[in-house]
């Protein structure tokens, strides 16, 4: 799922088993993700892109093949608090 030029809040959700990225915050996105599981996606669990404002609170990002979380250059000071990030083949946080 990709969010651009929009606002999204996800609470107590699960994003599991996709062939690409779990959740991408693109240009102009504002998002809050809390108490959510992102797991077993083939690429990256969560991508925080340039120009997006994102908070990720008390989430599980696990067993995502490439990385649990990628923060791209130009992201507007993302806040990641109380998360468990594990099981990636390459990077926990990149």
């Amino acid at each position: 799922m990709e969010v651009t030029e929009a606002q999204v809040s996800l609470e107590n959700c699960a994003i599991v088993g996709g062939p690409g990225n779990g959740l991408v915050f693109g240009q102009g996105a504002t998002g809050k993700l809390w108490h959510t599981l992102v797991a077993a996606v083939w690429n990256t669990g969560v991508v925080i892109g340039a120009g997006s404002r994102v908070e990720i609170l008390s989430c599980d990002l696990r067993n995502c093949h490439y990385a649990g979380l990628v923060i791209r250059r130009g992201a507007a000071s993302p806040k990641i608090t109380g998360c468990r990030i594990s099981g990636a083949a390459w990077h926990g946080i990149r």
Side-chain angles (χ1 to χ4, degrees):
M1 172 176 23
E2 183 170 353
V3 178
T4 55
E5 301 295 334
Q7 182 176 0
V8 64
S9 293
L10 297 172
E11 179 178 11
N12 297 319
C13 295
I15 300 170
V16 179
N21 296 317
L23 179 59
V24 177
F25 292 98
Q27 182 67 38
T30 301
K32 190 170 189 178
L33 190 66
W34 68 99
H35 301 288
T36 292
L37 169 66
V38 181
V41 297
W42 185 249
N43 196 356
T44 299
V46 177
V47 177
I48 301 174
S52 60
R53 297 187 177 279
V54 177
E55 288 183 73
I56 302 175
L57 309 166
S58 299
C59 292
D60 283 297
L61 310 177
R62 65 178 179 228
N63 300 331
C64 301
H65 185 73
Y66 176 71
L69 174 66
V70 170
I71 303 170
R72 293 196 174 134
R73 183 179 298 141
S77 300
K79 180 179 179 182
I80 292 76
T81 305
C83 295
R84 291 149 308 277
I85 302 170
S86 65
W90 296 97
H91 309 282
I93 299 175
R94 178 159 195 211

